[in-house]
Amino acid sequence: MRLSRYFLPVLKESPRDATIASHQLMLRAGMIKQSSAGIYSWLPLGFKVLRRIEQIVHEEQAKAGHIAIQMPTIQSADLWRESGRYDAYGDELLRITDRHKNDLLFTPTAEEMVTDIFRAHVSSYKQLPLTLYQIQWKFRDERRPRFGVMRGREFYMKDGYNFDLTKEDALHAYNRHLVSYLRTYERMGLQAIPMRADSGPIGGDDTHEFLVLADTGESEVFYDSAVTDLTFGDREIDYDSVEQCQGVLEEFTSKYARTDETHDEAKFNEVPEERRRTARGIEVGQIFYFGTKYSEAMGATVQGPDGKAVPVHMGSHGIGVSRLVGAIIEASHDDKGIIWPEGVTPFHAGIVNLKQGDAEADAACQSLYDALTEAGLEPLYDDRDERAGAKFGTMDLIGLPWRITVGPRGLKNGVVELTSRKTGESEELAPDAAVARLVEIYKAHGIGSA
Amino acid sequence: MRLSRYFLPVLKESPRDATIASHQLMLRAGMIKQSSAGIYSWLPLGFKVLRRIEQIVHEEQAKAGHIAIQMPTIQSADLWRESGRYDAYGDELLRITDRHKNDLLFTPTAEEMVTDIFRAHVSSYKQLPLTLYQIQWKFRDERRPRFGVMRGREFYMKDGYNFDLTKEDALHAYNRHLVSYLRTYERMGLQAIPMRADSGPIGGDDTHEFLVLADTGESEVFYDSAVTDLTFGDREIDYDSVEQCQGVLEEFTSKYARTDETHDEAKFNEVPEERRRTARGIEVGQIFYFGTKYSEAMGATVQGPDGKAVPVHMGSHGIGVSRLVGAIIEASHDDKGIIWPEGVTPFHAGIVNLKQGDAEADAACQSLYDALTEAGLEPLYDDRDERAGAKFGTMDLIGLPWRITVGPRGLKNGVVELTSRKTGESEELAPDAAVARLVEIYKAHGIGSA
């Protein structure tokens, strides 16, 4: 993309009502625009990041064998009356009446609807296991929306639901989700720590939240520092293997890690003192096993091997897709702006032309642009007639991980400059070598066609 | 995908309330499930087609230089009061009140919101031309929703908006949209004919609808048969070229083609009698130029070259993404089921194992599956322990364009059978040759990594 043809409305000033870094930076970098309290439009740069995150979620869900569907945002109140949640949910449920005076609602979560799909179409245990998920807009009418997309009213979320014959099978599905979530977050450059959690209005026994450590996190967290040494990495996993998934669960959840909601001071004190940590965290996902709560209320049964109808064991599992955009920024920024991890960056490299209009510089930039595009990467070329300082400022603010600076002086020596946004370190390289370096960097993240 | 692990709830009977082919077939093929009147869940097969269509729209919009954003579904009534549409829109607008008694609505279209984004961030003609678009869920509270996704209440739509300094520039944007729409529909295997249309509640002067001919179409259409000979094909186009885009507009709209709303009997009679056609059509898109209607009402001005503030010229342009799923089926099906065009098919080929459990047949199927996957194609492997007839019936119903049938008898001769869903013709080929044939077929559609 050429910046002169893009729509990137960066702001010089930090808006007054934005109190945390991600909210300020998303507004300043022209990623979002508020339209009502807690409701945002996603401008081009923000939408690109949202799509990157969505794509990673889809890919990792597919690897785990989970199947994508799409449920409507507007649902019938009658379905929610079956589970009892229509009355129980409170003021956060956006209730709607249509022209024929039917009671509808904007879905904040979809246990009822997915259970309705299940009971209409599945009748035998032979059709199990089954996990259906969607990525869809949700609405929660927060009393006091704040922190930008971190606690908005309309938000984009992945919600998945497993259906299993037995509790054991459902716990395997739970573990499978835990593994897939670890992979998902790591691909986004995040360390998200699974912590024992409360189940809240969805109900249930087993549940873990995934928390990203950040000073601005809404939750106080307590953990054994050994949990931050754990990474999933690029190990192979067989999602059908009960042992392997259970092993990952044990590895990642056996050490102490809890939010203030479930914190147990006595247990925490069993952790060696030098490894006890207190910090703040942002919730970016949650997994639940809640057994037959919805299947019993709504009659979602299957015929078991013995011919008897039994309610299925279920769980639900969420990733806050739009919230993640904010969480990643909270975890990765500096005074100058955002620092995108390679896995989710809206553009893979910025090209800064120091002397727009200079034939040689223009040609070199175009050639870099073409080579990166050819390699399946997306560059953002700042081809505006602006001072170098302004161009650098924009690139630092919007946080592309790599910048290639092209100027007449360097070109005389046959080099351009490749700069890391994270370290600030620059290196002079031949243009071809700069492209090759970027191709190699992104290949390690599974990005690009090379 | 292995069918044994997929969720494909096909129905034997055609549901009684479904009166047109696409609605019946989408229900029978397990693509959708109704949740309320005019509101559907998209089951796995349906969601895959929806995503294919969405992806084509995104790709063609990017080629035209249009920039993707995402606006919220829930919008403030105040914004719509600025344009006067909050009161004017009538009962089809889903009006909502939140917990703080604010008036909101579920957006049926987004002229107001995109104009609000524009006026907040664009102030100079130097930032033009600009076209922003989104693909987002919309809601229209139809009095009598019917025909499945063809006239639902919640629907998925691409809506794009151009902002230009002058009427001439805006008409170029109009033409650019026309060209990109022609390409978009052709990639979906559709012939969509631009027809002069009425502007309806959006208002405006120049407008064309794109209609797909189908017996079940809601509109009566009148056209010169010469228009159905036109194809865009794989010609090159420079979207910046006013002449080229204008040329395409003239080529595709100068012959008579109108819906009943704008039909002019006298002009129709000027068409040579043997070329006069009357048929039915399904609207799958519409482009509008409406000038300064919204920019004047909402104060969306830019400073022109002479320093004076002028309201921008705008247009809006829509593609019915969810409706297209139905429209494609209306245009392409037979007694046995759907016949997907290659460009949008949910899976690229079906693999039918005639003797599940036979070691040689199983291995051959797995090997075909791996080879197709390796080539960047998505096969659906019917690995169930079912009769051949049932497997063929399912494949015919769900309409994959190509089927590979694998059985012990053929394998003895080193062949499998490749069958076209469209023609019903089969050919015996070595497994490698069948894969090579499919790779070649899909390569012509820009699909696959080969």
Side-chain angles (χ1 to χ4, degrees):
Chain A
M1 179 60 66
R2 282 169 169 267
L3 195 42
S4 65
R5 307 191 76 157
Y6 201 49
F7 180 57
L8 184 71
V10 301
L11 306 179
K12 289 221 174 67
E13 302 287 314
S14 192
R16 262 190 308 176
D17 60 336
T19 55
I20 63 170
S22 62
H23 190 188
Q24 292 167 352
L25 288 169
M26 288 180 74
L27 289 167
R28 286 188 54 212
M31 293 178 64
I32 52 171
K33 179 183 183 302
Q34 180 173 313
S35 62
S36 315
I39 305 180
Y40 293 86
S41 287
W42 292 75
L43 304 184
L45 195 75
F47 181 60
K48 274 186 94 72
V49 177
L50 196 67
R51 291 274 289 181
R52 300 267 193 233
I53 292 173
E54 180 183 20
Q55 184 59 29
I56 290 174
V57 173
H58 272 307
E59 288 174 12
E60 294 301 327
Q61 289 301 301
K63 284 179 197 160
H66 304 160
I67 300 171
I69 62 173
Q70 183 97 89
M71 291 177 275
T73 65
I74 300 297
Q75 305 187 350
S76 158
D78 285 343
L79 200 55
W80 281 61
R81 290 191 176 108
E82 287 193 49
S83 71
R85 284 209 297 177
Y86 186 69
D87 294 320
Y89 212 94
D91 286 341
E92 290 192 357
L93 189 64
L94 188 67
R95 294 174 166 85
I96 303 170
T97 307
D98 73 9
R99 68 191 291 172
H100 296 306
K101 306 296 170 210
N102 294 306
D103 290 333
L104 304 172
L105 56 89
F106 197 123
T107 175
T109 169
E111 281 78 7
E112 287 82 0
M113 178 137 304
V114 78
T115 303
D116 184 53
I117 291 170
F118 181 88
R119 70 181 173 186
H121 291 300
V122 180
S123 55
S124 163
Y125 77 96
K126 291 179 189 167
Q127 294 164 272
L128 305 183
L130 179 64
T131 295
L132 301 173
Y133 78 95
Q134 68 171 348
I135 303 179
Q136 177 62 298
W137 292 96
K138 310 286 193 303
F139 201 93
R140 198 163 41 210
D141 200 0
E142 294 270 357
R143 195 174 56 81
R144 199 162 76 83
R146 56 195 182 280
F147 305 146
V149 301
M150 300 279 284
R151 192 167 283 276
R153 294 200 290 170
E154 186 167 330
F155 57 100
Y156 204 43
M157 192 175 131
K158 175 263 171 180
D159 46 324
Y161 307 88
N162 68 284
F163 301 91
D164 290 278
L165 180 61
T166 64
K167 178 170 181 178
E168 291 67 43
D169 290 351
L171 289 178
H172 173 56
Y174 183 90
N175 298 348
R176 208 171 56 226
H177 278 88
L178 181 126
V179 177
S180 71
Y181 280 24
L182 290 172
R183 289 173 63 141
T184 301
Y185 297 123
E186 283 192 15
R187 281 186 62 184
M188 298 175 190
L190 287 177
Q191 179 169 48
I193 304 167
M195 299 194 182
R196 182 166 296 282
D198 259 354
S199 58
I202 291 184
D205 309 321
D206 288 77
T207 174
H208 282 91
E209 286 179 341
F210 290 78
L211 282 106
V212 173
L213 301 180
D215 295 340
T216 50
E218 74 262 282
S219 309
E220 191 170 14
V221 299
F222 304 86
Y223 62 95
D224 179 340
S225 69
V227 301
T228 55
D229 297 334
L230 298 169
T231 55
F232 191 82
D234 54 3
R235 62 178 101 169
E236 293 282 320
I237 184 94
D238 174 0
Y239 278 109
D240 289 337
S241 163
V242 170
E243 292 71 26
Q244 285 188 29
C245 292
Q246 176 70 24
V248 174
L249 174 90
E250 283 167 12
E251 180 184 348
F252 280 81
T253 64
S254 58
K255 296 207 167 53
Y256 193 90
R258 295 195 179 187
T259 66
D260 43 9
E261 286 180 341
T262 55
H263 181 52
D264 180 332
E265 195 69 26
K267 283 203 176 142
F268 188 48
N269 286 332
E270 292 168 15
V271 176
E273 193 170 359
E274 71 279 9
R275 290 188 355 217
R276 272 178 238 156
R277 297 283 185 281
T278 306
R280 299 203 70 84
I282 300 169
E283 191 210 323
V284 292
Q286 188 158 5
I287 53 177
F288 293 97
Y289 161 70
F290 50 69
T292 57
K293 176 181 155 88
Y294 292 91
S295 55
E296 282 190 22
M298 297 181 62
T301 60
V302 293
Q303 205 173 43
D306 58 1
K308 280 187 196 149
V310 288
V312 287
H313 286 257
M314 293 173 59
S316 71
H317 315 280
I319 293 178
V321 174
S322 50
R323 163 171 265 241
L324 270 165
V325 182
I328 292 168
I329 296 175
E330 290 296 337
S332 183
H333 69 274
D334 63 16
D335 292 347
K336 295 180 195 163
I338 303 165
I339 306 172
W340 291 116
E342 273 87 356
V344 298
T345 184
F347 294 96
H348 299 111
I351 301 172
V352 168
N353 189 341
L354 293 179
K355 200 166 182 189
Q356 202 69 41
D358 175 89
E360 207 186 343
D362 291 0
C365 287
Q366 187 62 49
S367 154
L368 284 162
Y369 187 93
D370 293 342
L372 290 168
T373 305
E374 181 68 27
L377 300 178
E378 277 192 86
L380 180 69
Y381 171 20
D382 190 344
D383 61 342
R384 298 170 307 163
D385 189 16
E386 285 274 2
R387 289 175 306 107
K391 291 188 175 186
F392 290 154
T394 298
M395 285 294 177
D396 285 346
L397 174 61
I398 69 172
L400 310 186
W402 298 95
R403 186 185 80 211
I404 306 179
T405 309
V406 179
R409 200 178 318 165
L411 290 176
K412 252 180 212 154
N413 300 319
V415 296
V416 297
E417 198 180 61
L418 182 66
T419 306
S420 159
R421 174 68 182 84
K422 194 169 182 177
T423 67
E425 282 165 22
S426 290
E427 190 181 351
E428 293 198 331
L429 288 165
D432 288 357
V435 171
R437 177 74 59 83
L438 289 174
V439 167
E440 190 192 333
I441 288 165
Y442 282 102
K443 197 178 173 184
H445 293 273
I447 295 166
S449 57
Chain B
M1 179 62 64
R2 283 168 167 268
L3 196 42
S4 64
R5 308 192 75 158
Y6 201 49
F7 180 57
L8 184 71
V10 301
L11 306 179
K12 292 222 173 69
E13 302 287 315
S14 192
R16 264 189 308 176
D17 59 336
T19 55
I20 64 169
S22 61
H23 191 189
Q24 292 166 352
L25 288 169
M26 287 180 76
L27 290 167
R28 284 187 54 210
M31 292 177 65
I32 52 170
K33 178 184 185 300
Q34 180 173 311
S35 61
S36 317
I39 305 181
Y40 293 86
S41 286
W42 293 76
L43 304 184
L45 196 76
F47 182 61
K48 273 185 94 75
V49 177
L50 195 68
R51 291 274 287 182
R52 300 267 193 233
I53 293 172
E54 179 183 21
Q55 184 60 27
I56 290 172
V57 173
H58 272 306
E59 287 173 12
E60 293 302 327
Q61 289 300 302
K63 283 178 198 160
H66 305 159
I67 300 172
I69 62 173
Q70 182 97 91
M71 291 178 276
T73 64
I74 300 298
Q75 305 187 352
S76 158
D78 286 341
L79 200 56
W80 281 60
R81 290 192 177 107
E82 287 192 50
S83 70
R85 285 209 297 177
Y86 185 68
D87 295 320
Y89 212 94
D91 287 341
E92 289 192 357
L93 190 62
L94 188 67
R95 293 173 168 85
I96 302 171
T97 307
D98 72 9
R99 66 190 293 172
H100 297 305
K101 307 294 171 210
N102 295 306
D103 290 334
L104 304 172
L105 56 88
F106 197 123
T107 176
T109 167
E111 281 79 7
E112 287 82 358
M113 177 134 308
V114 78
T115 304
D116 183 54
I117 291 170
F118 181 88
R119 70 182 172 184
H121 292 299
V122 180
S123 55
S124 164
Y125 76 96
K126 291 179 188 167
Q127 294 164 272
L128 305 182
L130 179 65
T131 294
L132 301 173
Y133 79 95
Q134 67 170 349
I135 303 178
Q136 177 62 299
W137 292 95
K138 308 285 194 304
F139 202 94
R140 198 164 41 210
D141 201 1
E142 295 270 357
R143 196 175 55 81
R144 200 161 75 85
R146 56 194 182 280
F147 306 146
V149 301
M150 300 279 284
R151 193 168 283 275
R153 294 199 291 170
E154 187 167 331
F155 57 100
Y156 204 43
M157 191 175 131
K158 175 262 172 183
D159 45 325
Y161 307 88
N162 68 284
F163 301 90
D164 289 278
L165 180 62
T166 64
K167 178 170 181 178
E168 291 66 44
D169 290 350
L171 289 178
H172 173 56
Y174 183 90
N175 298 347
R176 208 171 54 225
H177 278 88
L178 181 127
V179 177
S180 70
Y181 281 25
L182 290 171
R183 291 173 61 140
T184 300
Y185 296 123
E186 284 192 13
R187 281 185 62 185
M188 299 175 190
L190 287 177
Q191 180 169 48
I193 304 167
M195 300 195 180
R196 183 166 296 281
D198 260 353
S199 59
I202 290 185
D205 308 319
D206 288 78
T207 174
H208 282 91
E209 286 179 341
F210 289 77
L211 282 106
V212 173
L213 300 180
D215 295 341
T216 50
E218 74 262 279
S219 311
E220 190 169 16
V221 299
F222 305 85
Y223 62 96
D224 178 340
S225 70
V227 300
T228 55
D229 298 333
L230 298 169
T231 56
F232 191 83
D234 54 4
R235 62 178 100 169
E236 293 283 319
I237 183 93
D238 174 1
Y239 278 109
D240 289 337
S241 164
V242 171
E243 292 71 26
Q244 285 189 28
C245 292
Q246 177 70 22
V248 174
L249 173 92
E250 283 166 14
E251 179 184 350
F252 280 82
T253 64
S254 58
K255 299 210 166 50
Y256 192 91
R258 296 196 179 186
T259 66
D260 43 9
E261 287 181 340
T262 55
H263 181 51
D264 179 332
E265 195 69 25
K267 284 207 174 137
F268 188 49
N269 286 332
E270 291 168 18
V271 176
E273 192 170 0
E274 72 280 10
R275 289 191 351 221
R276 272 180 239 153
R277 298 283 186 280
T278 307
R280 300 203 70 84
I282 300 170
E283 190 211 324
V284 292
Q286 187 157 4
I287 54 177
F288 293 98
Y289 162 71
F290 50 69
T292 58
K293 176 182 155 90
Y294 292 90
S295 55
E296 283 191 21
M298 298 180 62
T301 60
V302 293
Q303 205 172 44
D306 58 2
K308 279 185 198 152
V310 289
V312 287
H313 286 256
M314 293 173 58
S316 69
H317 315 281
I319 294 179
V321 174
S322 50
R323 162 171 265 241
L324 270 165
V325 181
I328 292 168
I329 296 174
E330 290 297 335
S332 183
H333 68 274
D334 63 15
D335 292 347
K336 295 180 194 164
I338 302 164
I339 306 172
W340 291 116
E342 274 88 356
V344 299
T345 183
F347 294 96
H348 300 111
I351 301 172
V352 168
N353 189 341
L354 293 178
K355 201 168 180 185
Q356 203 68 40
D358 175 89
E360 209 187 342
D362 290 0
C365 286
Q366 186 62 47
S367 156
L368 284 163
Y369 187 92
D370 293 342
L372 290 167
T373 305
E374 181 68 26
L377 300 178
E378 279 192 84
L380 180 67
Y381 171 19
D382 190 345
D383 61 342
R384 297 171 306 162
D385 189 15
E386 285 274 2
R387 290 175 305 106
K391 290 188 176 188
F392 290 153
T394 298
M395 286 292 177
D396 285 346
L397 174 62
I398 68 171
L400 309 186
W402 298 95
R403 188 185 79 210
I404 306 179
T405 308
V406 178
R409 200 179 316 165
L411 289 176
K412 249 179 213 151
N413 300 320
V415 297
V416 296
E417 198 180 60
L418 182 66
T419 306
S420 160
R421 174 68 180 84
K422 195 169 183 177
T423 67
E425 282 165 22
S426 291
E427 190 181 351
E428 292 197 331
L429 287 166
D432 287 356
V435 171
R437 177 74 58 83
L438 289 175
V439 166
E440 191 192 335
I441 287 165
Y442 281 103
K443 198 178 172 184
H445 294 273
I447 295 167
S449 55

